Amino acid sequence: QGLSGDALRDAFLRRNSLDKFESSIWAHEGRHAIDKLIFKITDSVELEYRAKMSEAVFARRPRGVLSSLLSPVGPPSAHGRANQRLLEVVVAWMKEHAGEIAGLEPQSALLPQLDKLSDEQLRAAVRRRWERLEPGWG
């Protein structure tokens, strides 16, 4: 607030970089460490899936991590397969909560409407799935 021009741009870039670092390093890579050391998970798709969920739940602005969930999507990579799984979870949540999402057109494809989710709605979609994996979490 109260910034303009170069100062506003610089503040935005700093905030964006910090947000990216917090979600991709602390949440994502931290989840890998927890899952490998404590839960002894070795499956790369499962590791990426859980790390992507942590990224979305713990991000200061979860909508800001959507770009990392949208590319790549699908096989052959572990990241792509994990992204696909997480997007399926989010789209299922969108179907179930269509009436709560401002501006959503439920008769249209939901995936292209991800931008209509608020940060809290995106967190809620992922948290619900996480609760099924690890009851009592979050």
Side-chain angles (χ1 to χ4, degrees), residues 42-138:
T42 58
D43 178 78
S44 60
V45 175
E46 185 66 18
L47 286 166
E48 288 306 324
Y49 178 59
R50 294 164 66 94
K52 298 275 183 176
M53 285 194 292
S54 285
E55 207 174 326
V57 169
F58 293 117
R60 184 182 312 258
R61 293 173 189 85
R63 289 175 43 156
V65 303
L66 282 178
S67 63
S68 75
L69 302 178
L70 294 171
S71 180
V73 174
S77 75
H79 282 117
R81 291 171 45 203
N83 285 345
Q84 183 174 347
R85 281 178 64 188
L86 190 53
L87 289 171
E88 288 169 357
V89 165
V90 173
V91 168
W93 187 92
M94 290 173 74
K95 283 180 187 174
E96 191 175 321
H97 297 270
E100 302 165 31
I101 304 169
L104 187 76
E105 297 177 12
Q107 70 283 2
S108 298
L110 296 178
L111 187 57
Q113 299 183 75
L114 283 177
D115 64 314
K116 302 212 185 310
L117 292 173
S118 69
D119 284 336
E120 282 310 311
Q121 289 171 326
L122 183 55
R123 273 192 192 101
V126 175
R127 270 191 185 125
R128 190 176 88 184
R129 179 63 186 140
W130 194 269
E131 280 287 338
R132 291 181 187 155
L133 291 175
E134 292 183 19
W137 181 90

Side-chain angles (χ1 to χ4, degrees), residues 29 31-42 47:
E29 297 304 328
R31 186 74 227 179
H32 283 325
I34 290 166
D35 287 339
K36 288 176 183 177
L37 294 172
I38 295 172
F39 296 109
K40 308 296 186 206
I41 297 170
T42 58
L47 286 166

Side-chain angles (χ1 to χ4, degrees), residues 7-26:
L8 177 60
R9 182 200 64 229
D10 292 347
F12 169 78
L13 292 173
R14 274 191 306 277
R15 174 82 269 154
N16 192 53
S17 293
L18 182 59
D19 288 352
K20 179 85 172 146
F21 182 81
E22 287 175 353
S23 68
S24 65
I25 302 302
W26 294 124

